[in-house]
Amino acid sequence: MTISPFRSDILKGKVAFITGGGSGINFGVAKALASHGADIAMMGRREDVLEKACTELSKLGVKTFFKGGDVRNPEACLAALDATAHALGKIDILVNGAAGNFLCPPEVLSPNGFKTVVDIDLNGTFNMCRYGYKYLRDTHGLIINISATLHYVGTPFQAHVSAAKAGVDALTVNLATEWGPEGIRVCGIAPGPIGDTEGMKRLAPGDTGEKMKKDIPLRRFGETSEIGMAAVFLASSAASYITGHTLVVDGGQWLTKPPMVPRSMVEQMMAKSLG
Ligand code: COA
């Protein structure tokens, strides 16, 4: 658990709405925002998960609200946003976290499989931004799109999510420029491998995760609270002139490759050449 460098009331009076907020990285974001005073609303497909998450966050002394719904359904997005504004008064921060993923080679992925992921990750993000706009315009609010680093390179078995998240990043830049004049900031967070999440269970099954750590410059997985702190930073006045930027929080993972030869071989070669 990351210790916050921020005062615990910096988001007091703000209302954050988080899609997929009941579990994993998005619950980490919800918890971090609530720990700094924000009231929290959540939308997701599993109402029992949302209810449990809200009960836990209420213990932090903030107001909570949840509404079941699927971000693929524009009417459900609108209904959840309207219900939140009614229950909590307004919306200052919209976090688009709802996502779907699985490993699959593109040559066997069905068109509907590809479409399903693009519908959740990209179209769902658009739906929420589209219907959240009127509320965020009123509060000079902030959108945080949860992205990924998969599409910065060619990541095997991830064509569907890479395409969707590249679209999400394009939306982040576009909406930042179109809605900046209304006082709305639009940013993204691109998490790397975050331990103990549904995403990691799906993308790094069995002992593959342990092997993956050796190739991460910081040599560990991230924690959901570290993504949460990135969100708190973006929501804080420390980031008031930042918009259109997607903050990578991945321990340096996407920047590097495994060494071409083992270090011992390099040392042998050096010993030879240096005499
Ligand atoms: N490999 C290949 N194709 C798959 C698949 C897999 N592991 N899982 C689902 N699909 C395909 C299905 O076969 C179907 O295509 P078809 O109609 O051509 O057969 C299509 O995707 C939709 O599947 P369905 O199970 O009906 O979708 P859903 O809406 O119930 O679930 C998913 C959406 C598939 C993304 C599901 O994994 C999900 O709900 N994920 C949410 C949680 C999550 O992924 N978290 C990690 C985020 S990083």
Side-chain angles (χ1 to χ4, degrees):
M1 181 74 186
T2 317
I3 295 170
S4 175
F6 293 109
R7 260 190 3 232
S8 62
D9 63 351
I10 57 166
L11 299 178
K12 202 168 170 48
K14 304 274 185 198
V15 175
F17 183 113
I18 300 141
T19 65
S23 62
I25 286 176
N26 301 317
F27 182 65
V29 169
K31 198 169 177 179
L33 296 175
S35 301
H36 292 81
D39 294 332
I40 303 291
M42 294 179 181
M43 173 187 179
R45 286 183 293 172
R46 296 169 298 164
E47 292 200 22
D48 54 330
V49 173
L50 297 179
E51 185 173 14
K52 193 165 161 252
C54 282
T55 303
E56 188 174 335
L57 296 184
S58 301
K59 292 179 192 153
L60 296 169
V62 299
K63 288 187 212 144
T64 61
F65 177 77
F66 69 89
K67 188 149 173 67
D70 190 323
V71 293
R72 288 173 281 190
N73 177 347
E75 288 82 31
C77 296
L78 180 59
L81 289 158
D82 285 350
T84 296
H86 185 71
L88 301 178
K90 58 178 183 155
I91 299 168
D92 300 276
I93 303 163
L94 166 63
V95 182
N96 288 306
N101 197 4
F102 47 78
L103 293 167
C104 189
E107 66 276 14
V108 299
L109 177 61
S110 75
N112 192 41
F114 186 90
K115 179 180 179 298
T116 297
V117 170
V118 171
D119 272 350
I120 300 171
D121 293 21
L122 176 57
N123 298 348
T125 295
F126 173 76
N127 292 338
M128 293 303 303
C129 293
R130 163 71 180 78
Y131 292 112
Y133 165 78
K134 66 176 176 189
Y135 293 113
L136 297 166
R137 184 190 52 196
D138 289 349
T139 54
H140 294 164
L142 166 70
I143 295 171
I144 300 176
N145 292 326
I146 304 298
S147 186
T149 61
L150 302 164
H151 53 295
Y152 296 176
V153 294
T155 302
F157 320 126
Q158 291 284 269
H160 40 310
V161 181
S162 297
K165 296 296 192 182
V168 167
D169 288 358
L171 265 185
T172 298
V173 170
N174 182 278
L175 300 183
T177 57
E178 294 217 42
W179 294 350
E182 318 266 16
I184 300 173
R185 289 188 300 121
V186 186
C187 292
I189 298 174
I194 304 301
D196 202 21
T197 58
E198 178 64 24
M200 281 304 286
K201 276 185 211 123
R202 286 167 179 251
L203 304 184
D207 65 353
T208 52
E210 283 310 307
K211 291 187 187 134
M212 194 190 279
K213 280 184 194 166
K214 295 194 181 79
D215 295 328
I216 299 173
L218 293 185
R219 295 292 189 269
R220 65 176 178 86
F221 292 150
E223 296 177 7
T224 55
S225 62
E226 291 176 306
I227 304 303
M229 284 310 305
V232 172
F233 164 69
L234 289 173
S236 77
S237 58
S240 54
Y241 202 50
I242 298 176
T243 193
H245 181 72
T246 294
L247 184 60
V248 176
V249 185
D250 77 335
Q253 188 206 26
W254 90 268
L255 298 169
T256 187
K257 299 179 194 176
M260 286 187 281
V261 293
R263 185 185 173 99
S264 56
M265 191 184 285
V266 176
E267 284 169 354
Q268 277 174 17
M269 286 157 62
M270 284 171 66
K272 256 190 209 157
S273 66
L274 297 174

